[in-house]
Every structure is written in structure tokens, then in C-alpha cells.
């Protein structure tokens, strides 16, 4: 059968990065095709190439048997390629009906908008999917799930030949997921080609026929999903070779540091945030490195942020050395000695225009001040200590942080946290985007800190970093803990198995 | 998705120098020109006039520089001046101190309103302060019953026309405030936190900074400084004129700040530059008037300077 949409040897590069390299993707009508891959694998770029947002550097797109190059997103849409994004991209202020018929509104005999017909047809259309809402209400007054369904119903009703769903279920309730799947089933029955992007393995195995795995901008696998073991799929996504899951010490972590049977420095119980965390329990002892395992979107960053007070909790409590912490306050967590190295260094970490000195003392400023006046002398002594201890390479403490390398920026952020004399360090991707040398230094530093009795929570998308760094690994999926690996079980094989394990249906 | 956003354009050294020092150079050039070609420029009388004219704008601009440093803007300053001016005659019967005190409190309350809308409710600064730009003047006119009121209090009049060591009292007040605000920005925890919040709000919040308190305080300071300017302008005018006082001051203040090298994108506050920016704008007007060119010409020249300043800022980002 002829494919509806095919990308052949598509490459796309950005300054310094190859986002896609010789990627092939073939979508057939009546098939649901899963597109999977971890952060930075190139999924978003590929979607943008398919929908005309980006023009590929090389390679070609074939749509309905003809070579095409969609110059603009509107061309792709008009040709019959609909995309439903994670964040609904409809007009929130307008009614549900208006959104469903945006750009193709029914008209009266006089050429005016026929609202009665529009509302009636909208209600019928949604009722067909089991959704009964007042279609005259503004879209934004409805729940995320319903909004997602409206977006999908719109895509399905515009005689689309290809529907791209980008993480459609991330904000849906289980019941809403079922509804969404009936719509997807209908699309498949109607001969539409569906590209389904998600990290939820259970969903993929429920609904998808084919799968394409991207890693580092390349296709590492493409074929039927049925018969492909979950473990194999996860291993491909993460780039681990199942045949030889070796332990040869690629990282700078060394062995264990746990102070046996010590009382936990941190106990978190029942951390719950709607749609993001579902009753996460976590305990960290002094000197212990607890790794958080999980695929993208499993709730690792959210867990760290909730403990650090940066994500307000719906319920759950955090106890530090026996004292219950006021949750939802970064300042309170810091006073208790809990600090977070955020995942996104540029957006949430550095102040690029300020100096190395100011970036380091930022959080400690009140402690280094008397009567609201900053003490330059006390600042200098702290800054001096940490620049030397962490070997931060800067021309002087007055140099702008924006001018430093990624690794040195990361060290500046670590210094900002360490000068607060923390008891628990939450590290979210501490070595992402920094060079090999700095990476080894950061790993060695974390090791050393743990040996000195600091409790550490480590999140890393690099598999060996988690496995070799951690004494204990807590595995998350869909915001809940699904496994705990300790002692001898902290191995790549065990972690892979835990990640691939089937969830509750 | 992974395109490097930090591919910084290389700015030429001249651009960088102009950005950092252009405003001072421009002031120096204009002063030099006037010394050579403008009759009566270097007289105490003329200098005093210039100082008195620039002082209220400068005081408002100091607060504006702080607000802009937080990546915000305070459009209400001119109306807050009017509110303060309207309050003065109502309480001058109780004496100079209570009247001025209440005018300052009114300014603080206006700032607190702005700050609450921005920091707590989360409204964009330009919209939040627009409300008070419109409403504040209305309020001032209600207080004053729509009237212009002559000021007869000797202390207040002395504030407007007094001199110390040959320099107008108003000038001294502006100078002291400028130094005070400079010290606050540079040497206090609040000042450093202000710059941090403006530079990266999310990073500041994650570093445990009291982001809301910092924003609220900044707008209160801006309100109080606007009230000071309103009081001084009233004293100078010897009348409380809430329908005219402070009109378009928000734009003059923003101009002084931007021309002085403080980026609208926040994270940086240049107080000395703001002073120079205010002085530069005053000098342009004065110079052109001295040469019998109309005010409209001054406005066009000022517009050109704003564009140059903004362009230099843009190149640096």
C-alpha cells in the first residue's frame, strides 16, 4: 500500500547541533504509528518538519505520492495534516463550537455565520465522542481533557489524512484517555494515518501498530510494535545495548557511601500534585545518593521540585531531620537545608548578566548581610573558598557568568547551593550539556559530598550516571513510585527491567 | 528545540563603549558647546534654572530606574505626582510636616497598589500601572475639587525657592536622593535582590529570594519618589495644580532611564546613567531654546536620541 506521508533521509541541523540525521519515517493510512525517544532525540524537530514549520536541509517529503515541501504550516494544514499539541492551540476565549469550526464556519443563505447550525453540528459531533458540554461556552472554561478532545475532534473532522498527536494524554484523566482512544480508533478505521508521540509505554502498546524510535536525531528502529518486547524498546530509547549491559566505570562515581542504618535526613511521604505526582514516597539518609529513575515525564523533576518547595503540593509532607517542612516555599526548604539544582540551567539557574560573585552569593545574601547591607568582605571569603574548591575557571569573580562555559556555570550554581551548607542536595541533570572534563569533576564532587555526609537525590537521563552514582534507585512512572532498587539490585539490567515493566491497565 | 539561543552577536567595541558611556559623552559635548556658543550659559542664574527644571524628572526617574530594573515599568508616576500635589493644600492647615507626610504616604499607597497588582495578582506592569495613570489623576482632581489652589505655607514655598550654597534646595534634594538610591542598589540586600529578580525571575524564585516582597517594595519606592517630585513641583509652582502637574512625566522618566543605559529587559540598574540621561534631555531642550528653535524641534531631537539609545541596548543583548 502506498504511504500517505513519508519522510526520506531527512536531515536538519541547527548551529552546533544536528537535530535530525538521515531520518526515514513512513506513515500509512489506517495505522497508528508511535514515535518515541528521550529528550533531545529529535521528535519535536521531526514533527515540525512534517508540518511545515521547519524546512529540512536535505531529504524529501512525499505526501500522497507526490514530493512536497510545505513552505508554511498553513500549507500542511490545508493539505490535510492536522496536529494536536500537548498545549492546546485553540482560541480559549471563543466558544467550543467556534473553535470546532474555526475557518470553515457554516453560513446562512445571506453569507452570514449560521450560529444555530454551527452549535447544533458541534453538539452532535462531540456527542458522537461521548462528550456532552454546552458548546456555546468559551473553550477555556472547560477542563484540559475536554479541550484536548475538542482539538482532536476538530482535527478528525477536517478531513485530515494525517493526524499528529503530541503527548495527547499528559493532562488527561484515565477516563478521558479512554475517550481519546475511541477517537483514535475511529480515525484509524477511517483510514487516517496517525502519528502518536508519547512516553507512556502502556498507551503505546494499547493503541499503536508501528513504532519508530529516535535517538540523538537518528532512527534506531522502525517496525511493528506487537512482538517487540518492552525491555527492548526501552533499551533502544535509552541507547543501552541489551546484549552487553556492562559495568566498566564510565563515570567518576565510586561505590557506596551509605551510612548504614542512619536516620533519614529527608523523608517525603505521599507527594501529590494533580496530573503530575501521585503519592510519591522517598527517604534519603545522610551520605546516601538516591537516584530517581524513569522515562521522560515520569515525574522525576516534579518530585525534586516538590521537595525543594518549588512546586506547590496538593497533599503530602516533607520531613527534614524529624522536623516537618512547610511545603511550597523555597525559602523554607532552604532554611531547613534542602536545596535544588534546577534542570534548566539557563532558564532557572544563572543570572547571565551578573558576576560570578553575585551568582554564587545570591541565595546566601541575607546571611551575608547585616541590617540589610551586604558585606563585601564576607562575600569575597565565601566566593574565594568555592571558586577554589570547585575549581571554577573564571577570569575573576567579577566576570559575567554568561561568559563562562556550561560546566563552569554549573559549578557556579553548585557553589550557590553549597555555600548555604545544605543537608540535602537535589540534583536535576547536573551534568547535562557540559563538557567531559567538567562532567567528571561534577561527578567526583557529588561523590565527595555524599561521603562527607550530605544526602543527595540524583536525576539524570544518562543511564550509567544514575546506576553508578546511586546507592538506591527509586523508579517512577506517571508520577508514582513503581520500584525501589537497593544494594546488589542497582544495575542497569534491573533498572531497564523496572522501566519496561507493565503498568496497571 | 536544541538550537543554540546564545549565539551572541559580536558587538563592536565602539558600540559597547557608546552603550556604557555615550550618555556621559553626550552631556559633556552639550555642556562644552553651550560654554562656547551660548550666551549666559555659565551663570548661576541659568544653572539654577536648569537644576530646578530637571530635578522633579530626575527624582521620578530614579524610581523608574528601579522598576525598569525589575523588568517592569511604572506609568502612574505623573498621576501620583498629581495625587501628592492635591493632598498638600488639604492638610497644610495642620502644618508643613503633616501635609508633606500625608502626601508621601499617599504616594506609598499608590505604589503599594501598583506593586500588589504586579507582584501578587500577577498583572503585567504596563497594564497594572496604566490603571493608576488614568485613575490617579481623576482621584487627584476629586481631592482638589477640580481647582487650582494657591500655596501660602512659608515652609513649602521656601522648599520651592530656597537655596543652599548657591544651589537650589530642590537640586540638593534630588542629589541626595540620587546618591541614596545608588547606595541602595549597590550595597543593600534589597538592591541586589532587585537586580536578580529583574535578571531572571524564575532563577531568583528557585534561589529562595522573596520575589513578591522585592517587587512590592520597588513599586512603593517609585510611588514615594513620585510623591516627592509632586511636592517639589507644587512648591516651585507656588500652587497645587492637579490637572497639569506631572503630565507626561512617566515618559520623560522612562526616557531618562533608557537613555542612561538601563535596559528595558531588566536585570541592570544604572543610577548615574539615569541622572545623566535626565540632564541630557534637559540640556537638549535648553540648548535649542537658547538658539530660538521651537520646543517641537527639541522633541524630535530627543526622539532620535531615544532610538539611538535603544538601538545600542539591543546590540548588547
Amino acid at each position: 500500500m502506498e504511504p500517505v506521508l513519508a519522510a526520506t533521509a531527512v536531515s536538519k541541523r541547527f548551529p552546533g547541533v544536528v537535530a535530525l540525521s538521515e531520518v526515514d519515517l513512513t506513515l500509512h493510512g489506517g495505522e497508528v504509528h508511535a514515535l518515541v525517544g528521550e529528550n533531545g532525540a529529535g521528535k519535536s524537530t521531526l514533527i515540525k518538519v512534517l508540518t511545515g514549520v521547519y524546512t529540512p536541509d536535505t531529504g524529501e517529503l512525499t505526501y500522497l505520492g507526490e514530493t512536497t515541501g510545505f513552505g508554511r504550516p498553513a500549507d500542511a494544514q490545508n493539505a490535510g495534516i492536522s496536529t494536536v499539541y500537548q498545549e492546546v492551540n485553540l482560541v480559549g476565549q471563543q466558544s467550543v463550537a467556534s473553535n470546532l469550526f474555526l475557518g470553515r464556519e457554516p453560513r446562512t443563505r445571506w453569507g452570514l455565520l449560521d450560529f444555530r447550525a454551527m452549535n447544533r453540528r458541534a453538539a452532535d459531533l462531540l456527542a458522537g465522542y461521548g462528550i456532552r458540554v454546552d458548546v456555546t461556552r468559551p473553550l477555556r472554561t472547560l477542563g484540559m481533557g475536554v479541550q484536548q478532545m475538542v482539538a482532536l475532534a476538530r482535527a478528525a473532522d477536517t478531513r485530515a489524512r494525517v493526524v499528529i498527536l503530541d503527548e495527547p494524554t499528559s493532562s488527561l484523566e484515565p477516563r478521558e484517555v479512554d475517550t481519546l482512544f475511541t477517537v483514535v480508533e475511529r480515525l484509524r478505521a477511517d483510514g487516517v494515518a496517525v502519528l502518536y508521540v508519547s512516553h507512556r509505554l502502556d498507551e503505546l502498546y494499547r493503541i499503536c501498530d508501528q513504532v519508530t524510535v529516535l535517538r540523538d536525531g537518528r532512527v534506531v528502529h522502525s517496525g511493528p510494535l506487537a512482538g517487540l518486547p518492552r525491555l527492548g524498546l526501552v533499551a533502544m530509547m535509552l541507547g543501552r545495548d541489551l546484549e552487553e549491559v556492562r559495568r566498566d566505570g564510565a563515570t567518576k562515581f565510586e561505590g557506596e557511601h551509605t551510612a548504614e542504618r542512619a536516620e533519614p535526613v529527608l523523608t517525603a511521604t505521599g507527594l501529590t500534585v494533580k496530573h503530575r505526582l501521585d503519592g510519591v514516597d522517598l527517604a534519603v539518609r545522610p551520605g546516601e545518593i538516591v537516584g530517581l529513575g524513569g522515562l521522560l515525564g515520569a515525574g522525576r523533576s516534579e518530585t525534586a521540585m516538590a521537595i525543594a518547595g518549588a512546586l506547590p503540593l496538593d497533599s503530602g509532607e516533607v520531613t527534614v531531620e524529624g522536623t516537618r517542612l512547610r511545603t511550597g516555599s523555597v525559602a523554607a526548604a532552604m532554611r531547613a537545608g534542602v536545596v535544588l539544582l534546577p534542570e534548566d540551567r539557563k532558564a532557572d539557574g544563572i543570572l547571565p548578566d551578573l558576576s560570578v560573585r553575585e551568582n554564587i552569593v545570591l541565595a546566601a545574601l541575607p546571611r551575608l548581610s547585616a541590617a540589610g547591607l551586604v558585606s563585601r568582605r564576607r562575600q569575597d571569603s565565601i566566593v574565594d573558598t568555592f571558586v577554589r574548591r570547585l575549581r571554577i575557571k573564571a577570569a575573576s569573580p567579577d566576570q559575567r557568568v554568561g561568559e563562562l562555559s556550561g560546566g563552569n556555570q554549573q559549578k557556579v550554581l553548585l557553589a550557590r547551593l553549597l555555600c548555604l551548607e545544605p543537608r540535602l542536595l537535589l540534583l536535576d541533570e547536573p551534568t547535562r550539556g557540559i563538557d567531559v572534563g567538567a562532567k567528571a569533576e561534577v561527578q567526583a564532587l557529588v561523590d565527595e559530598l555524599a561521603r562527607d555526609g550530605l544526602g543527595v537525590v540524583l536525576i539524570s537521563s544518562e543511564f550509567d550516571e544514575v546506576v553508578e552514582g546511586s546507592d538506591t534507585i527509586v523508579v517512577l512512572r506517571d508520577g508514582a513510585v513503581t520500584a525501589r532498587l537497593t544494594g546488589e539490585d542497582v544495575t542497569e539490567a534491573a533498572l531497564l527491567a523496572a522501566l519496561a515493566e507493565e503498568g496497571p491497565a | 528545540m536544541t538550537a543554540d539561543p546564545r549565539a551572541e552577536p559580536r558587538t563592536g567595541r565602539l558600540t559597547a563603549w557608546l552603550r556604557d558611556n555615550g550618555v556621559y559623552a553626550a552631556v559633556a559635548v552639550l555642556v562644552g558647546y553651550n560654554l562656547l556658543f551660548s550666551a549666559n550659559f555659565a551663570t548661576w542664574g541659568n544653572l539654577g534654572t536648569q537644576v530646578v527644571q530637571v530635578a522633579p524628572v530626575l527624582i521620578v526617574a530614579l524610581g523608574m530606574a528601579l522598576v525598569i530594573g525589575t523588568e517592569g515599568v511604572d506609568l502612574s508616576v505623573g498621576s501620583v505626582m498629581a495625587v501628592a500635589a492635591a493632598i498638600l493644600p488639604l492638610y497644610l492647615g495642620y502644618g508643613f510636616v503633616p501635609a508633606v507626610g500625608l502626601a508621601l504616604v499617599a504616594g506609598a499607597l499608590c505604589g503599594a497598589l501598583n506593586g500588589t497588582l504586579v507582584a501578587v495578582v500577577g498583572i503585567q506592569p504596563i497594564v497594572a500601572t496604566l490603571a493608576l495613570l488614568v485613575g490617579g489623576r481623576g482621584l487627584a482632581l476629586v481631592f482638589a475639587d477640580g481647582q487650582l489652589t494657591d500655596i501660602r505655607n512659608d515652609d513649602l514655598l521656601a522648599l520651592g525657592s530656597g537655596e543652599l550654597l548657591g544651589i537650589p534646595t530642590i537640586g540638593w534634594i534630588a542629589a541626595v536622593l540620587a546618591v541614596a538610591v545608588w547606595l541602595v542598589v549597590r550595597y543593600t540586600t534589597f538592591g541586589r535582590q532587585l537586580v536578580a529578580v529583574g535578571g531572571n525571575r524564575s532563577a531568583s524564585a528557585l534561589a529562595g529570594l522573596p520575589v513578591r516582597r522585592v517587587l512590592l517594595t520597588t513599586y512603593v519606592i517609585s510611588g514615594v519618589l513620585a510623591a516627592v517630585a509632586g511636592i517639589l513641583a507644587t512648591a516651585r509652582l507656588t500652587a497645587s495644580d492637579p490637572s497639569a502637574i506631572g503630565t507626561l512625566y512617566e515618559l520623560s522618566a522612562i526616557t531618562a532611564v533608557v537613555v542612561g543605559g538601563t535596559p528595558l529587559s531588566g536585570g541592570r540598574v544604572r543610577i548615574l546613567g539615569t541622572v545623566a540621561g535626565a540632564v541630557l534631555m534637559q540640556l537638549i531642550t535648553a540648548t535649542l531654546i537658547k538658539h530660538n528653535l521651537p520646543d517641537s524641534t527639541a522633541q524630535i531631537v530627543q526622539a532620535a536620541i531615544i532610538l539611538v539609545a535603544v538601538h545600542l541596548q539591543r546590540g548588547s543583548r
Side-chain angles (χ1 to χ4, degrees):
Chain A
M1 191 174 67
E2 195 183 25
V4 177
L5 178 65
T8 316
V10 164
S11 296
K12 179 79 189 166
R13 49 169 60 242
F14 296 109
V17 195
V18 179
L20 293 177
S21 175
E22 305 275 309
V23 167
D24 294 326
L25 181 73
T26 309
L27 302 180
H28 291 277
E31 260 181 16
V32 182
H33 195 120
L35 179 65
V36 297
E38 283 287 272
N39 242 337
K43 289 173 307 199
S44 309
T45 313
L46 181 55
I47 292 177
K48 285 179 178 164
V49 166
L50 295 179
T51 53
V53 179
Y54 292 151
T55 312
D57 296 338
T58 56
E60 67 176 23
L61 291 181
T62 320
Y63 181 58
L64 300 174
E66 285 177 33
T67 304
T68 52
F70 299 122
R72 298 171 303 141
D75 296 342
Q77 271 171 35
N78 293 338
I81 299 181
S82 288
T83 314
V84 179
Y85 293 97
Q86 200 171 346
E87 304 291 327
V88 175
N89 55 340
L90 294 175
V91 189
Q93 291 89 339
Q94 290 198 16
S95 76
V96 173
S98 308
N99 272 293
L100 278 170
F101 293 98
L102 202 62
R104 52 191 184 98
E105 295 87 349
R107 307 264 169 180
T108 63
R109 221 173 325 167
W110 314 101
L112 301 173
L113 293 187
D114 186 350
F115 282 102
R116 270 180 36 208
M118 190 162 86
N119 289 338
R120 196 181 59 242
R121 279 169 56 187
D124 289 349
L125 182 68
L126 290 178
Y129 298 124
I131 301 169
R132 294 185 195 284
V133 292
D134 179 358
V135 295
T136 60
R137 275 172 58 185
L139 182 70
R140 62 162 178 209
T141 60
L142 304 173
M144 275 307 296
V146 179
Q147 293 191 30
Q148 195 86 55
M149 292 305 306
V150 170
L152 184 55
R154 178 183 154 78
D157 195 51
T158 46
R159 292 195 191 83
R161 303 297 305 266
V162 178
V163 171
I164 299 174
L165 300 172
D166 189 1
E167 302 248 15
T169 57
S170 56
S171 51
L172 299 193
E173 306 283 352
R175 192 176 44 82
E176 295 171 328
V177 173
D178 290 340
T179 314
L180 183 117
F181 281 0
T182 52
V183 181
V184 174
E185 300 277 7
R186 178 173 315 183
L187 290 173
R188 169 159 54 197
D190 290 348
V192 174
V194 178
L195 184 65
Y196 192 92
V197 182
S198 176
H199 312 100
R200 300 187 171 178
L201 297 187
D202 294 332
E203 288 175 13
L204 299 183
Y205 278 94
R206 235 176 101 184
I207 195 85
C208 298
D209 309 301
Q210 299 282 325
V211 63
T212 293
V213 184
L214 283 181
R215 193 175 67 242
D216 299 334
R218 291 171 187 279
V219 173
V220 291
H221 177 83
S222 194
L225 185 58
L228 179 66
R230 296 166 74 102
L231 193 60
L233 179 60
V234 172
M236 283 189 289
M237 285 165 66
L238 298 173
R240 311 312 295 176
D241 190 345
L242 264 187
E243 301 304 313
E244 37 166 336
V245 178
R246 305 162 306 181
R247 296 206 49 182
D248 58 352
T251 64
K252 276 288 168 191
F253 290 110
E254 300 172 6
E256 322 246 311
H257 346 71
T258 320
E260 293 290 333
R261 275 177 247 104
E263 284 299 306
V265 55
L266 172 95
T267 318
T269 46
L271 302 180
T272 301
V273 178
K274 198 178 181 214
H275 292 316
R276 298 170 83 175
L277 293 180
D278 185 12
V280 171
D281 297 338
L282 194 68
V284 184
R285 286 172 297 182
E288 183 183 28
I289 301 183
V290 175
L292 295 185
L295 298 174
L296 200 63
R300 293 171 297 172
S301 293
E302 287 82 357
T303 301
M305 284 172 68
I307 293 171
L311 180 66
L313 287 174
D314 292 328
S315 66
E317 47 181 86
V318 178
T319 309
V320 179
E321 291 183 333
T323 312
R324 195 169 157 187
L325 194 68
R326 180 160 66 90
T327 58
S329 160
V330 174
M334 276 188 172
R335 275 195 297 277
V338 176
V339 297
L340 166 72
L341 182 78
E343 177 182 13
D344 190 335
R345 183 169 65 234
K346 275 166 192 148
D348 302 326
I350 59 165
L351 294 152
D353 287 335
L354 294 189
S355 65
V356 169
R357 174 191 302 107
E358 298 222 60
N359 269 280
I360 290 179
V361 300
L362 183 70
L365 213 47
R367 303 176 194 204
L368 299 176
S369 310
L373 295 178
V374 300
S375 159
R376 180 63 181 270
R377 197 177 45 77
R378 285 158 81 181
Q379 280 189 27
D380 282 342
S381 101
I382 291 260
V383 170
D384 241 38
T385 310
F386 282 98
V387 165
R388 244 181 295 136
R389 180 165 169 208
L390 303 190
R391 273 179 295 213
I392 296 172
K393 288 184 200 73
S396 87
D398 292 311
Q399 191 177 6
R400 282 178 61 231
V401 158
E403 294 168 359
L404 301 185
S405 70
N408 281 301
Q409 290 180 355
Q410 195 72 307
K411 289 183 188 174
V412 166
L413 291 182
L414 278 167
R416 179 191 291 173
L417 303 179
L418 294 177
C419 73
L420 298 168
E421 294 168 1
R423 304 200 176 114
L424 182 84
L425 192 56
L426 300 150
L427 301 172
D428 196 349
E429 301 286 358
T431 63
R432 177 182 289 168
I434 67 180
D435 65 84
V436 182
K439 195 163 169 170
E441 283 186 75
V442 168
Q443 290 167 346
L445 174 73
V446 171
D447 217 37
E448 182 192 321
L449 290 167
R451 211 159 305 148
D452 291 347
L454 199 68
V456 177
V457 172
L458 176 67
I459 299 172
S460 173
S461 48
E462 298 201 21
F463 226 64
D464 40 9
E465 199 165 274
V466 184
V467 170
E468 292 179 26
S470 309
D471 303 304
T472 304
I473 296 180
V474 172
V475 182
L476 295 168
R477 180 169 52 224
D478 291 346
V481 176
T482 55
R484 277 169 214 280
L485 311 176
T486 53
E488 297 293 298
D489 289 340
V490 181
T491 61
E492 291 202 9
L495 180 52
L496 273 180
L499 291 179
E501 192 182 303
E502 204 155 336
Chain B
M1 156 192 201
T2 22
D4 187 5
R6 288 200 72 86
E8 287 185 35
R10 287 235 158 252
T11 30
R13 284 168 72 181
L14 178 66
T15 315
W17 186 88
L18 278 177
R19 186 186 68 232
D20 293 336
N21 304 297
V23 67
Y24 308 120
V27 168
V29 167
L30 268 181
V31 168
Y33 174 86
N34 279 295
L35 285 175
L36 291 176
F37 301 110
S38 301
N40 303 327
F41 178 78
T43 60
W44 280 119
N46 177 55
L47 290 181
T49 310
Q50 302 302 328
V51 166
V52 165
Q53 284 184 3
V54 79
V57 175
L58 171 56
I59 292 170
V60 171
L62 293 173
M64 189 68 77
L66 297 183
V67 174
I68 288 179
T70 66
E71 210 179 348
V73 69
D74 185 353
L75 293 183
S76 73
V77 285
S79 295
V80 174
M81 286 175 70
V83 169
I87 288 204
L88 279 175
L90 301 181
Y91 296 96
L92 273 176
Y94 301 98
F96 171 78
V97 174
V100 167
L102 281 169
L104 294 178
V105 168
L109 287 176
C110 290
L113 175 67
N114 286 332
T116 306
L117 290 177
V118 171
V120 183
V121 185
I123 300 177
Q124 286 164 341
I126 197 164
V127 180
T129 59
L130 182 64
L132 201 54
L133 163 69
V134 178
R137 193 163 296 277
L139 202 63
L141 286 167
V142 170
F143 285 149
D145 213 6
Q147 305 276 314
L148 182 144
T149 317
D150 286 331
I151 300 291
R152 300 186 199 289
N153 182 294
D154 290 339
D155 291 329
L156 193 55
L157 292 175
L159 195 62
S161 57
E163 288 189 357
L164 184 65
L165 304 176
I167 294 172
T169 316
I170 294 182
W172 283 109
I173 293 174
V176 168
L177 287 173
V179 171
V181 171
W182 181 74
L183 289 172
V184 164
V185 171
R186 210 168 154 76
Y187 293 108
T188 65
T189 317
F190 164 74
R192 301 326 297 162
Q193 289 180 337
L194 183 155
V195 172
V197 168
N200 188 337
R201 169 107 48 119
S202 140
S204 299
L206 278 172
L209 266 55
V211 174
R212 288 180 179 180
R213 199 172 73 211
V214 168
L215 287 174
L216 188 63
T217 312
T218 306
Y219 282 91
V220 169
I221 292 175
S222 176
V224 171
L225 287 172
V228 171
I231 293 166
L232 295 181
T234 302
R236 181 71 199 163
L237 197 66
T238 71
S240 164
D241 183 4
S243 62
I245 221 160
T247 43
L248 296 183
Y249 263 53
E250 59 281 347
L251 298 186
S252 307
I254 294 170
T255 305
V257 172
V258 171
V259 169
T262 300
L264 284 171
S265 47
R268 203 148 160 238
V269 178
R270 294 187 34 160
I271 294 301
L272 192 58
T274 300
V275 173
V279 169
L280 178 62
M281 290 299 148
Q282 174 65 30
L283 277 176
I284 289 169
T285 314
T287 307
L288 295 174
I289 287 174
K290 283 233 185 306
H291 289 74
N292 293 322
L293 288 164
D295 209 26
S296 45
T297 314
Q299 285 166 347
I300 292 167
V301 173
Q302 287 175 342
I305 294 203
I306 294 171
L307 289 178
V308 169
V310 171
H311 176 71
L312 290 174
Q313 293 288 351
R314 210 175 60 103
S316 74
R317 277 293 176 162

